Amino acid sequence: MYPAAFEYHAPTTVAEALDLLGRLEDAKLLAGGHSLVPMMRLRLARPGHLIDLRKVPGLAGIREEGSTLVIGAMTTQWEMESSPLLQARCPILAETASLVGDPQVRNKGTIGGSLAHADPAADQPAPVLAVEAELVCEGPRGRRTVKAEDWFQGLMATALRDDEILVEVRVPAFAAGTGGCYMKFPHPASRYAVVGVAAVVTLDRGGVCAKAVVAVTGPGTRAVRARGVEAGLLGKPLDAGSVEAAAEHAAEGVDVQADLQGSVEYKAHLCRVFARRAITEAARRAQAAR
Ligand SMILES: Cc1cc2nc3c(=O)[nH]c(=O)nc-3n(C[C@H](O)[C@H](O)[C@H](O)COP(=O)(O)OP(=O)(O)OC[C@H]3O[C@@H](n4cnc5c(N)ncnc54)[C@H](O)[C@@H]3O)c2cc1C
């Protein structure tokens, strides 16, 4: 099926893109097109204008600013997956990128597109929450920063305003003694997360959990932090017993939805199983990083 007719615009600066976004009625930004174009073909979206960000220089790439990694919104999943900088300094984001869809999707799909689209089954929202990233939006009044925790507001709803572009994602590099892991139960056709859990844990010198951030994507209408799990891990040595007990809280605070992939009970069970697995692996990696 073909999309409805639209006007195509290819700005070459962020300012030009913002001007078009402010001026044109019914305009949508286009990044990798791997969520927007299928929606247009299904007539679930019918923008009158597409503003293509691909010719705007400076929106892609990963750089280091002190202990912060700055990921341009137009950076593709493939660029994240294969970035030596990300692999070394914030490996959970590279790991997650490697699990998105298939090579075609990863070569086109962008981190900014994924976070702006906020599909409830998307992968990157979970690790972005778990690393406590900050999302930088640019609009007519300049730039503002939104904490990942405040970004995902509901089903495909984010803190991004209509007249703004998500320009970069800022991520703290892993500290010593930190390990992270993202694991998912993938949909067999699309590879989207039926349930995905990201865990980032920091161990102190004695091997006790000094910090834990755990987030769940897939089963609910938006990705959320699993606060009960985090509280269950803090101050404990991360052995099988403590991890299993904490992981029992993984579905708390998630508005688990029943659908063709499974019942509420089944998906809540997957939350607990994948939380246990992701935390166990994150703890193993944290141990190795001490
Ligand atoms: C077959 C298939 C399998 C997939 N499997 C997975 C999977 O396993 N896991 C997963 O997480 N995803 C999966 N995806 C989704 C894929 O990762 C998408 O590409 C991604 O979610 C959207 O990124 P994009 O760059 O393609 O954005 P686009 O489709 O171009 O845009 C999506 C939305 O975000 C907006 N937008 C884009 N960039 C910006 C920006 N910088 N600022 C503000 N708004 C912006 C657009 O206006 C649009 O509304 C799959 C997609 C396909 C087609």
Side-chain angles (χ1 to χ4, degrees), residues 18-289:
L18 285 172
D19 176 59
L20 289 165
L21 195 57
R23 245 177 342 100
L24 300 172
E25 204 150 305
D26 253 351
K28 273 267 175 207
L29 298 166
L30 177 71
H34 269 50
S35 291
L36 181 55
V37 174
M39 286 183 71
M40 290 170 63
R41 291 165 74 109
L42 292 168
R43 309 285 165 117
L44 295 171
R46 293 180 77 141
H49 299 268
L50 278 194
I51 304 168
D52 192 346
L53 294 176
R54 286 174 303 173
K55 295 196 172 72
V56 179
L59 283 181
I62 305 169
R63 64 178 197 278
E64 204 170 10
E65 277 180 13
S67 58
T68 301
L69 302 171
V70 184
I71 307 170
M74 288 296 287
T75 307
T76 64
Q77 304 285 1
W78 160 249
E79 287 164 333
M80 291 175 64
E81 166 186 5
S82 57
S83 159
L85 183 58
L86 215 52
Q87 287 165 358
R89 309 277 280 146
C90 190
I92 190 171
L93 289 183
E95 174 176 59
T96 304
S98 76
L99 300 172
V100 169
D102 51 40
Q104 289 91 328
V105 172
R106 297 200 290 277
N107 272 309
K108 285 288 182 191
T110 64
I111 180 76
S114 177
L115 299 177
H117 192 60
D119 190 299
D123 294 298
Q124 289 292 2
V128 160
L129 281 168
V131 298
E132 299 182 302
E134 292 184 334
L135 288 77
V136 182
C137 307
E138 191 163 335
R141 289 163 301 281
R143 289 190 169 202
R144 69 186 178 104
T145 298
V146 181
K147 287 186 177 159
E149 212 184 333
D150 301 324
W151 183 258
F152 304 103
Q153 298 193 340
L155 186 68
M156 292 172 152
T158 70
L160 186 75
R161 297 180 185 139
D162 287 347
D163 58 356
E164 287 180 328
I165 297 174
L166 173 60
V167 288
E168 64 189 30
V169 182
R170 301 177 71 85
V171 181
F174 274 17
T178 300
C181 179
Y182 175 72
M183 284 192 189
K184 68 171 166 177
F185 185 83
H187 185 284
S190 69
R191 316 307 289 169
Y192 273 104
V194 175
V195 167
V197 178
V200 176
V201 297
T202 304
L203 300 179
D204 69 15
R205 280 161 193 252
V208 166
C209 179
K211 184 168 182 193
V213 188
V214 179
V216 178
T217 189
T221 54
R222 66 187 178 107
V224 291
R225 273 177 70 166
R227 297 276 183 190
V229 180
E230 295 172 6
L233 297 171
L234 261 187
K236 309 235 170 61
L238 298 185
D239 54 31
S242 64
V243 171
E244 175 132 28
E248 280 302 301
H249 300 281
E252 289 170 9
V254 183
D255 59 341
V256 181
Q257 308 286 311
D259 58 18
L260 286 176
Q261 272 92 61
S263 64
V264 169
E265 294 74 19
Y266 175 63
K267 290 189 184 181
H269 170 72
L270 286 180
C271 288
R272 294 188 282 272
V273 170
F274 279 82
R276 175 169 50 76
R277 291 181 187 172
I279 297 162
T280 303
E281 181 58 18
R284 193 191 64 75
R285 293 174 182 177
Q287 189 72 34

